[in-house]
Amino acid sequence: MKAKLLLPIVCMLPMVANAAIPYRVEQIKMPAPQTPTGLDSEAYARNHRFYVGGMYNFTMWQDFTDDNNVSINGKNTSSFEAMVGLRIFDTFRTELNYQRTNAEWNALSFSGDTFMLNAIWDARIDNIYRIFRSQMIVPYVGVGAGLSWNSADDGIKLDKKIAPVAAALAGLGIEFNEYFALDFGYRYFYMFNPGTDAVKDLAPAAHQFRAGARISF
């Protein structure tokens, strides 16, 4: 009888031994989340994503000659604009501009409310290569496109009240600190034919010299 009980007991010994071994929880180390070090491509943009500003524009309208050899001489005008900007990276930003357009040639003149969306590339040295965090002189280039809602003066008729516009720009920002900067620039402004009855196929184009300021937040 004892021999019959001995065999089952011997068979159960490995199971009892395994049950006595405590379970071990294996800890898998996950990579720690990386915290921005201030040396990445958004070190400045992350802290100052938005900015607002204003500009004064001195505009030199170019002469124009249509297919019938009717020529008009461009005049110089002044205007102001407001801007709201969004920084994507330290070296790239988008900017929405509103300007009151005043255009004059001889006896022909018209004005418009012009909205443009610009893509601007800043020649900012990436933070990873900087000796110091800030960079005071920041050149930039950009392109823009938008629409102008125009109205003519002195009885001139416009076939198209809304005309597309395009621009190429370049300039220099002087950043006195991380919040305030002066902006000096040049913009070539082009408006597609607004359809005047005085001059056929008029395509207003101008050289604009700009000065203003930006506030970042």
Side-chain angles (χ1 to χ4, degrees):
M1 184 66 179
K2 293 181 179 180
K4 293 180 180 180
L5 293 175
L6 183 62
L7 181 60
I9 292 172
V10 172
C11 293
M12 292 178 65
L13 284 177
M15 298 176 61
V16 174
N18 287 334
I21 299 175
Y23 288 103
R24 294 183 302 170
V25 178
E26 184 177 359
Q27 296 181 351
I28 301 176
K29 294 183 178 180
M30 299 296 293
Q34 295 183 354
T35 303
T37 62
L39 300 177
D40 57 286
S41 62
E42 292 183 66
Y44 179 65
R46 184 170 49 252
N47 295 328
H48 301 284
R49 189 69 71 182
F50 301 96
Y51 65 89
V52 295
M55 301 284 282
Y56 165 78
N57 298 327
F58 178 76
T59 303
M60 303 172 62
W61 293 99
Q62 293 183 292
D63 300 341
F64 183 82
T65 303
D66 67 7
D67 295 336
N68 298 321
N69 290 323
V70 176
S71 297
I72 52 176
N73 299 319
K75 295 184 178 181
N76 300 334
T77 62
S78 297
S79 63
F80 294 89
E81 69 179 76
M83 65 183 74
V84 177
L86 170 65
R87 290 188 179 89
I88 310 299
F89 300 103
D90 285 4
T91 55
F92 178 75
R93 54 191 165 99
T94 59
E95 185 178 280
L96 179 64
N97 290 34
Y98 163 77
Q99 66 169 318
R100 181 63 178 174
T101 302
N102 299 310
E104 294 186 14
W105 303 263
N106 297 352
L108 169 63
S109 64
F110 65 86
S111 58
D113 295 306
T114 303
F115 291 87
M116 297 189 66
L117 182 62
N118 304 308
I120 300 173
W121 290 265
D122 287 319
R124 189 188 302 278
I125 302 173
D126 288 342
N127 283 341
I128 196 170
Y129 300 113
R130 294 185 197 171
I131 299 176
F132 303 104
R133 165 101 189 210
S134 61
Q135 177 184 344
M136 187 173 183
I137 307 298
V138 184
Y140 64 85
V141 296
V143 293
L147 295 172
S148 184
W149 283 258
N150 302 315
S151 59
D153 302 324
D154 301 326
I156 300 298
K157 180 183 176 183
L158 293 179
D159 295 335
K160 303 172 186 176
K161 298 295 184 182
I162 301 176
V165 296
L169 57 149
L172 190 70
I174 303 177
E175 298 181 351
F176 292 94
N177 52 48
E178 58 184 310
Y179 300 101
F180 180 76
L182 293 179
D183 196 332
F184 301 94
Y186 164 81
R187 176 169 61 198
Y188 181 77
F189 180 85
Y190 181 86
M191 181 183 298
F192 293 85
N193 181 18
T196 66
D197 57 352
V199 180
K200 185 179 178 181
D201 297 329
L202 172 64
H207 302 288
Q208 294 183 317
F209 299 91
R210 311 161 70 223
R214 290 181 267 127
I215 298 176
S216 302
F217 56 94

